[in-house]
């Protein structure tokens, strides 16, 4: 029996680390690894997307939704370059992802060979904690071990570069016991990290002394739902959620104010501007203007990463630790606040806000109000579904109108806020949890960028899934809508039609062409039945909703500068000025008179 090759050893080592799936696109730089994937059989499943960037997005989604290391693989040169956007998405959202990339033969390196790219330098930023190229078989064992352990422990991207000639060399499973060799082992168990008891006591004293406590949770609180609820109850606090922490608490809780920031809610704005005490848990929310004013609130931050302490708000006490473990240590030190007037004010504002959102969603538009699409979807979401959203105006409605229930998972591109991950995130979620229903909420710009191509991937694999349902909702408004509104409100410029126009495309009919279910919705009364049909379908489904691009994604607080810029954009001759005025007036009226219905 012949000895295993480096490629076989590498994949078997990954399998021993727990890797069961790789998202990859073939090429001659990884032919040896592809042959090994064939030989390893069903121990590691190959999922082939239409583009390497999508492979990286899927690996990121795998990491986000499972907590495991997501693995993607691409060939040398152009394939490696294509991975970068998805890998930066993982890096900026602190997700463990391993990228394996091929390289030209070692003997050709430095010779300006075809597809020769300096991959170590190329990946040095995105995989700043660990990027290494294997040059001899004896390295491979410790390179795999270190790449996996560093990705797990630091929640980051790592990269292994494997030249194509090395892949087919005879493997060295046990390096010789000699000077200059490395003898690595496998396995990683996350430590229990909690602050010193004295620091917890100081934090408790601060929180106990506050009368108006505001809590902000992010992705670091996703595993601390019960603990956050208990702390909020003791402190009589309201809880706002950064977008990556949307699934940390269910929206049915009356004190959950929802999203924060430009895509956020008025109750979250009121919570932050009215509090005297601020507790931030597992969040790196970047926009300080939506947090309490400096000096307004005494403050405590809990985060696993010391480097992220006190960079959004000057915190009085910084607690380095895991959110759930730290809160469990903190809870016995907290005193229940008997004065619940602050909590009552928060809950009243939240209840009124949901009425405002419903009124806005029900207002007529031409032909469909996008908020209504999300409002109707929210009422029908299956238990334990997995939501993904793309960047763009869809993220506004996802942030505000979707009510997360306990057991659901949800994510988008937070730190990078890149276009394109909505559909590949849903695919990655489906492979990780084939018995659950992923729902991708995307705009037509992102769908044309890469979502349409990934419908082919879905068509290629869906019959393998134990539950065949996967739903993609496309807002067809023929506009790069978020940027259009940013031009108007932030810059005071009219819509630049040449840049912002998105050509019409028959998304539902295209889904049908590739063997999926497609539903076209161009009337608001069709929205609810469309979701009912999609969730009852025997295959993946694309819902194409023809929505009005002139429904404004109003921020929770409009500054004078924003109002002036908006007015200037209309005076400069925006092509959609009449529709903008109509829809903006409707939203404003809904905020004042939420009980009314639009006509």
């Amino acid at each position: 029996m012949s000895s295993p090759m480096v490629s076989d050893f590498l994949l078997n080592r990954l399998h021993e680390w727990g890797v069961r799936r790789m998202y990859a696109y073939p090429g001659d730089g990884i032919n040896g690894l592809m042959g090994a994937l064939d030989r390893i059989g069903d121990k590691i499943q190959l999922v082939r997307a239409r583009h390497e960037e999508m492979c990286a997005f899927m690996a990121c989604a795998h990491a986000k939704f499972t907590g495991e290391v997501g693995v993607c693989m691409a060939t040398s040169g152009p394939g490696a370059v294509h991975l970068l956007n998805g890998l930066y998405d993982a890096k900026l959202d602190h997700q463990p992802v391993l990228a394996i990339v091929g390289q030209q033969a070692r003997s050709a390196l430095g010779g300006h060979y075809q597809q020769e790219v300096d991959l170590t330098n190329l990946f040095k930023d995105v995989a700043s904690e660990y990027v290494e190229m294997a040059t001899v078989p004896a390295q491979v064992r410790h390179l795999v071990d270190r790449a996996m352990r560093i990705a797990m422990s630091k929640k980051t991207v790592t990269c292994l570069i494997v030249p194509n000639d090395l892949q087919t060399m005879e493997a060295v499973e046990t390096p010789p016991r000699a000077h200059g060799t490395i003898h690595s082992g496998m396995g990683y168990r996350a430590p229990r990290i909690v602050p010193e008891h004295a620091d917890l006591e100081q934090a408790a004293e601060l929180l106990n002394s506050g009368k108006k406590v505001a809590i902000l949770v992010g992705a670091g609180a996703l595993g601390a739902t019960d603990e956050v609820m208990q702390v909020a109850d003791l402190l009589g606090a309201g809880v706002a959620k950064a977008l990556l922490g949307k699934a940390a608490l269910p929206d049915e809780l009356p004190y959950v104010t929802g999203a924060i920031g430009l895509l956020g809610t008025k109750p979250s704005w009121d919570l932050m501007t009215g509090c005297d005490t601020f507790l931030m848990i597992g969040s790196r929310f970047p926009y300080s203007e939506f947090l309490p004013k400096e000096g307004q609130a005494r403050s405590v931050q809990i985060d696993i990463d010391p480097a992220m302490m006190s960079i959004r708000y000057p915190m009085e006490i910084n607690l380095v630790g895991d959110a759930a473990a730290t809160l469990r240590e903190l809870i016995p030190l907290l005193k229940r606040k008997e004065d619940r007037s602050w909590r009552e004010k928060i809950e009243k504002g939240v209840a009124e806000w949901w009425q405002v959102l419903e009124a806005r969603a029900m207002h007529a538009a031409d032909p469909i109000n996008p908020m209504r699409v999300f409002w109707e979807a929210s009422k029908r979401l299956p238990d334990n579904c997995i939501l993904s959203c793309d960047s763009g105006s869809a993220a506004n409605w996802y942030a505000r109108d979707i009510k997360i229930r306990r057991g659901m998972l949800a994510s988008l591109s937070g730190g990078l806020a890149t276009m394109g991950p909505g559909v590949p995130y849903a695919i990655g979620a489906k492979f990780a949890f084939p018995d659950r229903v992923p729902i991708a909420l995307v705009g037509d710009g992102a769908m044309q960028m890469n979502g349409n191509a990934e419908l082919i991937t879905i068509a290629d694999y869906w019959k393998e899934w134990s539950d065949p349902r996967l739903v993609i909702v496309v807002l067809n408004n023929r506009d790069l809508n978020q940027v259009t509104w940013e031009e108007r409100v932030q810059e005071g410029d009219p819509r630049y039609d040449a840049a912002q126009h998105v050509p019409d495309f028959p998304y539902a009919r295209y889904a049908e062409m590739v063997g999926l279910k497609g539903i076209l919705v161009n009337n608001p009364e069709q929205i609810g039945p469309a979701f009912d049909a999609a969730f009852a379908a025997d295959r993946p489904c694309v819902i194409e909703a023809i929505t009005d691009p002139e429904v404004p994604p109003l921020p929770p607080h409009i500054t004078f500068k924003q109002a002036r810029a908006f007015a200037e954009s209309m005076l400069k001759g925006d092509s959609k000025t009449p529709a903008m005025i109509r829809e903006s007036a409707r939203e404003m009226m809904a905020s004042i008179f939420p009980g009314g219905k639009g006509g």
Side-chain angles (χ1 to χ4, degrees):
M1 183 177 178
S2 60
S3 300
M5 291 186 285
V6 164
S7 54
D8 298 292
F9 174 77
L10 187 153
L11 293 181
N12 276 293
R13 193 74 172 181
L14 287 174
H15 182 267
E16 291 181 70
W17 270 98
V19 174
R20 297 294 180 268
R21 187 172 299 107
M22 296 177 67
Y23 299 94
Y25 199 92
D28 60 3
I30 52 172
N31 278 347
L33 286 161
M34 284 293 170
L37 270 172
D38 186 23
R39 290 188 291 275
I40 204 171
D42 59 6
K43 291 170 70 175
I44 296 180
Q45 179 187 19
L46 168 67
V47 177
R48 205 200 87 188
R50 303 308 100 191
H51 191 286
E52 291 91 350
E53 182 182 347
M54 303 302 101
C55 295
F57 278 140
M58 291 175 194
C60 180
H62 180 93
K64 284 187 171 187
F65 295 132
T66 68
E68 303 167 352
V69 177
V71 181
C72 56
M73 185 165 67
T75 189
S76 56
V81 171
H82 282 163
L83 287 175
L84 287 175
N85 193 47
L87 294 180
Y88 272 106
D89 182 41
K91 178 183 179 176
L92 269 64
D93 283 353
H94 307 277
Q95 297 302 316
V97 169
L98 168 61
I100 299 171
V101 293
Q103 179 57 291
Q104 295 304 311
R106 293 165 296 166
S107 58
L109 296 180
H112 196 65
Y113 201 72
Q114 185 186 36
Q115 293 190 342
E116 181 188 350
V117 173
D118 186 347
L119 296 179
T120 303
N121 274 333
L122 180 71
F123 285 92
K124 194 62 181 177
D125 182 55
V126 72
S128 56
E129 295 288 346
Y130 196 74
V131 51
E132 294 291 341
M133 183 173 77
T135 56
V136 294
Q139 280 181 284
V140 174
R141 175 171 134 180
H142 70 259
L143 293 185
V144 172
D145 293 346
R146 294 206 71 212
M148 289 294 290
R149 187 175 289 109
I150 290 170
M152 288 177 176
S153 62
K154 295 185 177 292
K155 305 293 183 187
T156 193
V157 174
T158 57
C159 176
L160 295 184
I161 303 162
V162 189
N164 58 21
D165 60 325
L166 183 69
Q167 296 168 27
T168 54
M169 292 182 66
E170 184 176 323
V172 175
E173 300 188 36
T174 304
R177 190 167 181 266
H179 186 69
T181 61
I182 302 291
H183 298 259
S184 61
M186 292 186 297
Y188 173 76
R189 291 176 182 265
R192 180 177 180 268
I193 302 175
V194 295
E196 294 288 344
H197 189 72
D199 295 329
L200 290 165
E201 287 182 324
Q202 287 186 345
E205 183 180 356
L206 186 157
L207 295 169
N208 287 332
S209 66
K211 295 181 179 179
K212 300 176 179 179
V213 182
I215 299 175
L216 172 62
V217 297
L222 289 172
T225 300
D226 289 327
E227 292 81 2
V228 173
M229 289 169 59
Q230 192 170 351
V231 169
D233 181 63
L234 287 168
L235 299 177
V239 184
K241 302 188 289 187
L243 275 183
L244 290 174
K246 185 172 177 65
L249 286 184
D251 287 303
E252 62 199 20
L253 296 173
Y255 57 84
V256 171
T257 61
I260 188 173
L262 284 168
L263 280 59
T265 71
K266 186 178 183 297
S268 291
W269 172 263
D270 294 340
L271 178 72
M272 293 296 156
T273 56
C275 70
D276 63 17
T277 309
F278 179 40
L279 172 60
M280 188 157 78
I281 306 169
S283 175
R284 288 88 186 263
F285 175 74
Y287 304 123
S288 296
E289 68 269 28
F290 290 95
L291 301 179
K293 289 182 180 180
E294 187 169 341
Q296 169 193 323
R298 301 188 70 189
S299 50
V300 177
Q301 182 177 358
I302 300 171
D303 202 285
I304 197 73
D305 185 356
M308 301 307 296
M309 290 296 189
S310 264
I311 63 170
R312 309 303 185 210
Y313 192 83
M315 297 291 174
E316 190 170 334
I317 298 175
N318 298 290
L319 300 177
V320 177
D322 172 77
T326 300
L327 291 176
R328 283 195 292 270
E329 296 287 325
L330 183 64
I331 285 167
L333 306 175
L334 298 177
K335 299 176 182 177
R336 179 177 173 81
K337 296 190 187 300
E338 298 305 322
D339 182 357
R340 311 302 280 188
S341 56
W342 171 244
R343 167 65 76 84
E344 291 166 1
K345 180 180 179 181
I346 293 164
E347 293 186 358
K348 183 175 183 291
V350 170
E352 291 174 351
W353 177 250
W354 284 118
Q355 291 180 332
V356 167
L357 285 181
E358 183 175 17
R360 289 182 180 181
M362 295 305 163
H363 279 159
D366 183 20
I368 291 175
N369 184 334
M371 287 183 283
R372 184 161 179 182
V373 175
F374 285 68
W375 188 264
E376 298 290 349
S378 185
K379 296 187 291 186
R380 295 169 169 82
L381 293 175
D383 291 339
N384 299 316
C385 67
I386 304 174
L387 293 161
S388 64
C389 184
D390 225 295
S391 298
S393 62
N396 290 277
W397 322 129
Y398 161 82
R400 296 176 188 157
D401 292 273
I402 294 290
K403 288 187 177 182
I404 288 286
R405 303 195 304 273
R406 188 148 192 184
M408 294 179 179
L409 300 174
S411 197
L412 41 55
S413 177
L416 190 60
T418 180
M419 282 179 67
V423 173
Y425 268 26
I427 296 171
K430 191 63 179 181
F431 277 104
F433 302 100
D435 58 336
R436 298 173 73 166
V437 183
I439 300 137
L441 307 163
V442 304
D444 48 2
M447 199 65 185
Q448 290 188 18
M449 182 177 281
N450 55 38
N452 282 338
E454 290 312 307
L455 292 184
I456 302 171
T457 303
I458 295 170
D460 193 32
Y461 287 102
W462 72 266
K463 293 179 183 177
E464 300 177 9
W465 299 330
S466 55
D467 182 331
R469 293 174 297 169
L470 183 156
V471 179
I472 298 170
V473 182
V474 185
L475 302 183
N476 184 353
N477 58 21
R478 291 78 62 204
D479 184 47
L480 293 176
N481 200 234
Q482 186 75 8
V483 174
T484 291
W485 282 100
E486 288 170 349
E487 288 178 346
R488 292 164 173 166
V489 177
Q490 295 179 11
E491 308 301 329
D493 289 330
R495 179 184 190 268
Y496 180 31
D497 295 348
Q500 299 309 109
H501 170 69
V502 176
D504 195 14
F505 184 87
Y507 305 98
R509 279 195 287 140
Y510 179 62
E512 296 276 357
M513 285 176 59
V514 297
L516 310 179
K517 185 177 180 65
I519 303 174
L520 176 65
V521 177
N522 53 22
N523 182 299
E525 300 306 318
Q526 299 171 335
I527 300 171
F531 280 105
D532 293 338
F535 292 136
D538 64 351
R539 64 193 61 209
C541 179
V542 173
I543 297 176
E544 176 188 353
I546 310 299
T547 56
D548 190 340
E550 303 314 318
V551 175
L554 293 178
H557 173 72
I558 300 174
T559 66
F560 176 75
K561 180 181 178 181
Q562 290 170 330
R564 184 176 64 184
F566 183 40
E568 288 174 355
S569 75
M570 291 187 287
L571 292 173
K572 290 176 182 176
D574 194 298
S575 62
K576 304 292 185 180
T577 292
M580 281 170 26
I581 295 172
R582 180 191 70 234
E583 296 302 335
S584 297
R586 283 175 172 169
E587 281 212 34
M588 292 292 190
M589 291 300 290
S591 300
I592 301 169
F593 304 108
K597 301 295 181 183

